[in-house]
Amino acid sequence: MAAPNPPALDNPEVLAEKIVDALIYRIGKDQKTARPHDWLAATVLAIRDRIIDKWFASTRAAHKAGAKRVYYLSLEFLIGRLLRDAFSNMGVMEEVRSALQTLEVDLEIIREQEPDAALGNGGLGRLAACFMESLASLEIPAYGYGIRYLNGMFRQRIDDGWQVELPENWLDHGNPWEFERRESSYKVGFGGEAAADETGMIKWVPAEQVIATAFDTPVVGWRGKRVNTLRLWSAYPIDPIRLDAFNAGDHIGALVAKNRSEALIRVLYPADSSPAGQELRLRQEYFFSSASIQDIVRRHIQYFGDIKTLPDKAAIQLNDTHPAISVAELMRLLIDIHNLPFAEAWDITVKTFGYTNHTLLPEALESWSLPLFERLLPRHMQIIYAINAKILREARAKNDSDEFIRSISLIDENGERRVRMANLAFVGSHSINGVAALHTDLMKETVFHGLHQLYPNRINNKTNGITQRRWLFQSNPDLVNLAKEAIGDGFMDDFSKIAELGKFAKDKAFQEKFSAVKLKNKIRLAEHLRRTMGVKLDPHSLFDVQIKRIHEYKRQLLNLLETIALYDQIRSHPEKNWVPQVKIFAGKAASSYTRAKQIIKLTNDVARRVNFDPVVGDLLKVVFVPNYNVSQAEIIIPAADLSEQISTAGMEASGTGNMKLAMNGALTIGTLDGANVEIKDNVGDDNIFIFGKTASEVLELRQNGYNPRELIENSAELTQALNSVASGVFAHDDPNRYSDLVHDLYNSDYFMLAADFDDYCDTQRKVDNQWLDKSAWTEKAIINSANMSWFSSDRTISEYAKDIWRVI
C-alpha cells in the first residue's frame, strides 16, 4: 500500500504543527523552554521531511531512466547556510515565516543561529556550491564529492590588526541537514609496497589504511523539481585504540591511529610550508579522491554491471588539480581490481574525466616531490610512470624537441623531480576547460602550451557563473520585488528576462526606487558593522568594496596605497568637493602566507589612523570586516556601490565575486582580467571602469625588463604613499614593520602595482565624478543588474552538460 502524501506545506497551521512535533519528539524540548537553536533544528527537520521525499523521488527516477550521472569532485564546497537556500528553492519561505509567527518565533532570529558550513574558503568552493545548485535546478542527476572538514580553513579573528586563526567549530552541535551512510564506507590505503604476485599481477599492500564514510546532504534545485546529493567523506581508523598500549600506560600513543585519521578531515588547506604539511595535503587529496572513485565505480557496477560502460553512464569533473590523483586511482581500480589491460583502462579513464583549470599561477599548479609521492602512493607512482611513458612516446613521434618533451612530461625534472598534477589531470581527461575566455586563451599559450600542441582539441572555455537564486533572489529581496513590480516575475524562472529592466534605466521614478533599495541595503550593512565592529558609517557615502581572499595578485595592496594617497590629498586640500567614501575590505590570508597577513595588518593600521582623523571626518573610512564568509557576503554584496576587481592582468582565472556584485547593481572598477572582459562586453564600455595594463602588456613588460623604481619615482602620489608606509606613519609602535614590503615594491614589484597605480588613481577620480551625477550613476547600476543574466551558473552548467558531459 502506498504511503500517504505528507500534508501540504502551503498551510501555515499544518506547518506550525509539524514544527512543534519536531521540537517535542525529535529535539526533546517544550515550547516554553525552547531556545532559538532548538527552533532552528525543529524547523529544519520539519521541512527536511518534504525535501527527503523529493530526494528519494529524484534518485528513483534517475535509476529507472538509467541516466548518466555527473560527479563533481572538489576539495571545497562553500555552501554557507542552507536554511534559506533550501526553503526558498522549495517555495516555502513565506509559509515557514507565517507558521513561526503563529508560534511567536522570528524566522530571521533563528536563521542567524545556523553556522556557515566550514567547507571552503574562496571562489573555487563557492563556484562548486553554485554548480551543485544549478545541476539540481536544471534537473541533471549529480553527486558532489568532497571532505567533511571538522574545522574548515579557520575562523578569522583580528587581534591588534593581525589575523589570528581559530578553529571553525561548525559541527559542534550537529548538522540537521546531513545523513551518515555507514554502508558507503571504503578503505583508503597509504604507503607499503606494490609488487607482482605469483601470477604476475601487481598487488599493492598498504602499510596503513583508514575508513572513509559518507555523509550526504540534499541539494535542492529551484522549485524543488530535483534534489541531488552532496557526499562528504569523514575518516575513521580501522582500530580506534590500541588497548595493549593504553593498558601499558601509553594513553596518548594508543590513540595515534585515531589522531592520524582525524588529521585528514580537520582542516582545509593545512599549511604546506613544512614536509609534514605537504604530506598531509597529499594524504587529504588522495583520501577523498580514492573514496569518491571507489564509490562511483561501485555504483556503476551495482546498476549497470559492466565496468567498460563507465564513460557512458558517468562523467567525472575534476574541479582544479586537487583531485587529479583520481586519474591514477581509476586506472588502479580498472587494472588491479577489474583486470583490464592498460590500454583499455586508459581509454575508459580519458573518456570519463573532465578537468577544470582555475589558475595560471605556478604555485597553484600542484606538484609533489617524487620521494614523498612514491613513499605514500607506490602503486600510483608506477601507474603514473606508465602513463608518462605512453604520452612521451606519442609526443616524440610528433615533435622530437627535448624542450617540448619536458613541457608535457608528468615528471618535472627542473631541479628536484616532482609529479605534475595538472599535467596528469590534462592527459587523463578528454576535456580541459578554462573558466573565462581570456584565461582559456592564456592556458593554451602558457602553462599548457606543449600539451595543447599534443592534444589541440581538448582545451575549451566555460566561463564561470553564479546562481542568481542565492546571490540575487535570496540576498537582495527588495531589488527582486522592485523588478517584479516593473517587469513581472517571469525572470524568476527564465533569468534572461531580467534584461527587461534595462528599459527602465533612464526612468527617473524607477531610478529613485532602485536607489532606495540600494540605500536600504547600505543601512542594513552599516548597522551590521556598527553592531559587530563598533564602526559608524554614513550609508550615503560611496561604498567601495573589495571582498575576496587576500593574495598579492588580487592587489588589495594597490587599493590600499590609493587609499593612503587619497587620505593625503584630502588632508592637503580639505576645501575640495571630495566624495565621501567607505573602503570595505574582507578576506582571509592563508595560514602560511606572511605577506598577505602583513597586508591585512597594514589595512587595519591605515583604518585606525584614517577613521579617527578629525580633518578627514566622514570623507574617508576604512573597514576590514573579519571572518569573511558566505553570510557576510550576503550582507555586503547588495550594499556595494563599487566593485574592486583589480588583479594583475593575466592572473585572475575568472572571478565570481565580480559577477555577484555587478548583478546587484555595483559598478566594476577593474583590469581587463578574467571574466571582467566578458562583463565589459555584456554591460557595455560606458558602464564599467577599466584601467591598467593588459595581459599582453604585462607579459611584454616582464620580458623586456620591468623597472618599478623608475615608475615609483615618477609618481608623486605613489612615492608619498610609500614613504608614509616605510617611515612608520601607520605603525607608530614598530616603524620598520613594512620596510620589507616597500623594499620589494621598489626592487621587484612582481604584481606590477607601480605600473598600474597612476591609471588606477585617475580612474578612481572618474568614479568620483560619476558618483556626483546620481542619475547617471543609477542608470549605469540598473544596466549592470539588467545585463548579468549570461553569468548565471545555469548557463555555465548547460554548456558543461552539452559539450563535456553529454547529459543533455
Side-chain angles (χ1 to χ4, degrees):
M1 183 176 179
N5 290 326
L9 292 183
D10 57 1
N11 185 327
E13 293 182 2
V14 172
L15 186 51
E17 292 176 4
K18 287 174 67 67
I19 292 172
V20 171
D21 283 347
L23 179 72
I24 296 172
Y25 298 110
R26 299 166 78 174
I27 307 299
K29 279 291 186 75
D30 181 83
Q31 282 183 252
K32 293 182 179 180
T33 60
R35 308 298 296 169
H37 63 267
D38 298 315
W39 285 111
L40 168 67
T43 304
V44 169
L45 291 173
I47 304 301
R48 196 185 70 171
D49 290 348
R50 176 55 62 91
I51 293 173
I52 291 171
D53 291 333
K54 295 280 189 179
W55 198 12
F56 288 176
S58 298
T59 303
R60 284 193 293 265
H63 289 166
K64 184 177 180 180
K68 185 176 185 178
R69 285 183 174 82
V70 173
Y71 297 106
Y72 198 79
L73 273 60
S74 179
L75 204 57
E76 295 186 47
F77 285 95
L78 195 57
I79 57 177
R81 294 168 172 164
L82 290 181
L83 182 149
R84 192 168 61 181
D85 208 35
F87 289 12
S88 176
N89 279 9
M90 287 292 290
V92 298
M93 182 64 78
E94 294 310 312
E95 289 75 9
V96 171
R97 193 186 306 277
S98 298
L100 288 171
Q101 283 176 347
T102 68
L103 301 170
E104 299 183 347
V105 177
D106 188 329
L107 173 61
E108 292 307 308
I109 290 177
I110 69 168
R111 192 178 69 81
E112 290 293 322
Q113 300 295 311
E114 182 179 13
D116 273 44
L119 300 171
N121 172 46
L124 181 83
R126 186 52 232 173
L127 179 78
C130 285
F131 279 7
M132 287 301 299
E133 195 270 358
S134 280
L135 280 161
S137 294
L138 295 177
E139 300 185 69
I140 298 172
Y143 274 72
Y145 281 106
I147 294 178
R148 182 178 178 265
Y149 300 103
L150 300 178
N151 302 121
M153 188 170 173
F154 56 80
R155 176 168 53 88
Q156 182 192 57
R157 191 175 72 199
I158 302 298
D159 287 355
D160 190 29
W162 290 103
Q163 171 178 291
V164 176
E165 297 105 29
L166 302 169
E168 188 73 77
N169 300 319
W170 71 291
L171 285 171
D172 276 3
H173 302 292
N175 177 8
W177 293 107
E178 70 180 8
F179 296 83
E180 183 179 5
R181 306 300 194 197
R182 297 181 189 177
E183 70 279 7
S184 295
S185 295
Y186 303 93
K187 290 182 179 179
V188 178
F190 301 97
E193 63 176 352
D197 61 17
E198 61 277 3
T199 67
M201 297 293 293
I202 301 294
K203 185 175 179 62
W204 177 30
V205 182
E208 173 194 358
Q209 288 184 313
V210 299
I211 301 294
T213 296
F215 284 75
D216 288 354
T217 297
V219 179
V220 182
W222 183 236
R223 306 293 190 193
K225 291 180 180 178
R226 180 170 185 85
V227 179
N228 279 332
T229 302
L230 174 61
R231 173 159 286 190
L232 304 174
W233 299 106
S234 194
Y236 299 94
I238 292 177
D239 293 310
I241 184 172
R242 284 185 53 203
L243 285 176
D244 57 340
F246 191 88
N247 291 329
D250 185 6
H251 303 143
I252 303 300
L255 300 174
V256 66
K258 180 176 184 294
N259 292 334
R260 280 178 65 82
S261 64
E262 283 190 359
L264 290 169
I265 58 169
R266 276 285 168 197
V267 175
L268 167 68
Y269 300 138
D272 60 356
S273 53
S274 67
Q278 293 166 24
E279 177 173 335
L280 179 55
R281 280 209 183 190
L282 179 54
R283 285 168 60 91
Q284 274 189 328
E285 292 178 8
Y286 177 65
F287 165 76
F288 107 89
S289 296
S290 174
S292 303
I293 298 300
Q294 289 187 66
D295 194 49
I296 293 167
V297 169
R298 186 271 306 163
R299 183 176 298 106
H300 179 79
I301 294 297
Q302 178 180 347
Y303 290 108
F304 304 108
D306 187 357
I307 192 61
K308 296 179 182 179
T309 64
L310 183 65
D312 300 326
K313 298 298 182 181
I316 306 176
Q317 192 70 27
L318 305 176
N319 192 28
D320 217 7
T321 56
H322 308 122
I325 190 60
S326 299
V327 171
E329 176 69 357
L330 181 56
M331 286 291 289
R332 181 184 74 85
L333 296 177
L334 295 176
I335 295 170
D336 296 358
I337 306 302
H338 294 278
N339 302 317
L340 296 183
F342 180 93
E344 189 172 8
W346 184 243
D347 182 62
I348 291 171
T349 297
V350 172
K351 288 179 179 177
T352 302
F353 280 109
Y355 163 49
T356 301
N357 173 272
H358 285 277
T359 183
L360 304 175
L361 297 177
E363 66 269 23
L365 293 172
E366 288 184 314
S367 65
W368 304 106
S369 74
L370 221 57
L372 168 63
F373 197 100
E374 193 156 22
R375 173 172 58 82
L376 208 60
L377 301 169
R379 178 55 180 145
H380 299 77
M381 192 70 253
Q382 291 177 344
I383 290 171
I384 288 171
Y385 272 128
I387 295 170
N388 203 37
K390 179 185 188 304
I391 301 304
L392 294 185
R393 289 190 188 102
E394 290 179 12
R396 225 20 126 170
K398 293 185 177 182
N399 186 336
D400 199 35
S401 162
D402 287 343
E403 182 180 353
F404 174 67
I405 296 299
R406 281 194 297 270
S407 72
I408 66 171
S409 176
L410 306 188
I411 310 298
D412 184 357
E413 297 188 9
N414 295 318
E416 178 194 33
R417 290 185 175 178
R418 302 180 69 85
V419 183
R420 292 165 158 168
M421 303 310 289
N423 285 27
L424 175 63
F426 191 112
V427 301
S429 301
H430 67 278
S431 167
I432 296 85
N433 70 279
V435 289
L438 175 63
H439 169 237
T440 301
D441 289 341
L442 290 173
M443 281 170 53
K444 298 175 182 178
E445 298 169 8
T446 58
V447 292
F448 295 131
H449 181 66
L451 286 165
H452 177 55
Q453 288 181 302
L454 187 61
Y455 302 109
N457 298 318
R458 289 193 183 183
I459 294 181
N460 61 94
N461 180 58
K462 298 288 175 283
T463 298
N464 283 344
I466 59 171
T467 170
Q468 67 275 11
R469 290 168 287 274
R470 167 72 74 126
W471 294 110
L472 183 63
F473 299 176
Q474 296 170 36
S475 300
N476 205 342
D478 290 317
L479 182 54
V480 171
N481 289 334
L482 177 60
K484 287 180 180 178
E485 177 186 313
I487 63 175
D489 63 0
F491 69 91
M492 300 291 286
D493 294 293
D494 180 359
F495 194 50
S496 67
K497 292 182 178 179
I498 197 71
E500 295 173 26
L501 276 184
K503 63 188 178 185
F504 294 94
K506 295 181 181 295
D507 185 301
K508 300 301 181 184
F510 186 82
Q511 285 183 1
E512 288 182 9
K513 293 178 181 179
F514 190 93
S515 296
V517 168
K518 178 66 73 173
L519 181 59
K520 182 178 179 181
N521 289 329
K522 292 169 74 173
I523 292 171
R524 179 179 68 148
L525 174 60
E527 173 57 25
H528 171 73
L529 296 179
R530 184 202 63 77
R531 187 176 66 253
T532 58
M533 298 182 63
V535 61
K536 186 178 180 181
L537 304 176
D538 179 2
H540 294 91
S541 301
L542 188 157
F543 279 18
D544 181 341
V545 169
Q546 189 171 18
I547 45 175
K548 53 187 78 248
R549 65 187 173 96
I550 310 300
H551 197 291
E552 288 171 278
Y553 89 83
K554 293 179 182 289
R555 299 203 296 189
Q556 285 91 353
L557 185 55
L558 175 62
N559 187 355
L560 198 55
L561 290 172
E562 191 276 331
T563 302
I564 294 169
L566 177 60
Y567 172 58
D568 288 336
Q569 291 173 22
I570 293 173
R571 290 193 299 172
S572 300
H573 294 283
E575 79 286 358
K576 288 188 176 182
N577 186 26
W578 297 106
V579 169
Q581 54 191 280
V582 180
K583 295 274 193 173
I584 299 173
F585 296 83
K588 296 178 180 179
S591 302
S592 57
Y593 197 168
T594 303
R595 176 54 53 82
K597 289 183 173 182
Q598 192 179 34
I599 291 170
I600 291 175
K601 173 60 175 171
L602 178 58
T603 305
N604 285 292
D605 280 347
V606 171
R608 186 184 63 247
R609 186 173 183 90
V610 170
N611 293 351
F612 299 101
D613 190 324
V615 175
V616 174
D618 286 337
L619 290 177
L620 180 63
K621 297 291 184 184
V622 179
V623 180
F624 186 92
V625 183
N627 202 41
Y628 180 61
N629 56 19
V630 174
S631 294
Q632 296 269 29
E634 290 172 335
I635 299 174
I636 296 172
I637 287 172
D641 296 305
L642 187 67
S643 166
E644 298 272 352
Q645 308 299 330
I646 59 177
S647 54
T648 311
M651 290 193 160
E652 182 69 84
S654 173
T656 51
N658 48 4
M659 303 169 190
K660 295 163 194 161
L661 286 153
M663 189 176 286
N664 282 271
L667 304 190
T668 299
I669 181 170
T671 52
L672 283 174
D673 196 26
N676 289 355
V677 178
E678 288 142 298
I679 290 177
K680 181 177 78 73
D681 292 342
N682 277 269
V683 304
D685 293 0
D686 294 336
N687 303 302
I688 190 170
F689 299 97
I690 297 296
F691 73 94
K693 303 294 183 187
T694 64
S696 60
E697 289 170 339
V698 167
L699 181 61
E700 184 178 355
L701 269 178
R702 289 203 173 118
Q703 290 174 340
N704 295 337
Y706 174 54
N707 185 356
R709 181 176 296 274
E710 181 180 351
L711 290 169
I712 293 169
E713 291 173 349
N714 288 330
S715 171
E717 294 294 342
L718 181 53
T719 298
Q720 183 171 332
L722 290 176
N723 285 343
S724 297
V725 174
S727 62
V729 167
F730 302 101
H732 64 90
D733 56 328
D734 182 7
N736 295 318
R737 180 179 296 147
Y738 303 112
S739 57
D740 60 331
L741 184 152
V742 174
H743 176 272
D744 289 348
L745 287 177
Y746 269 97
N747 292 284
S748 58
D749 187 23
Y750 182 76
F751 299 99
M752 298 198 172
L753 277 70
D756 282 349
F757 181 82
D758 284 348
D759 195 6
Y760 178 55
C761 289
D762 291 343
T763 306
Q764 284 282 10
R765 301 295 74 80
K766 292 176 184 176
V767 169
D768 293 348
N769 290 333
Q770 191 68 75
W771 177 259
L772 293 172
D773 186 342
K774 293 297 184 184
S775 177
W777 181 281
T778 306
E779 178 184 337
K780 293 176 185 296
I782 295 168
I783 289 171
N784 268 262
S785 289
N787 288 281
M788 289 298 293
S789 66
W790 190 79
F791 295 95
S792 167
S793 51
D794 292 354
R795 185 270 309 159
T796 313
I797 287 298
S798 294
E799 291 180 3
Y800 274 96
K802 180 181 177 182
D803 301 336
I804 299 175
W805 303 329
R806 307 293 172 86
V807 292
I808 59 173

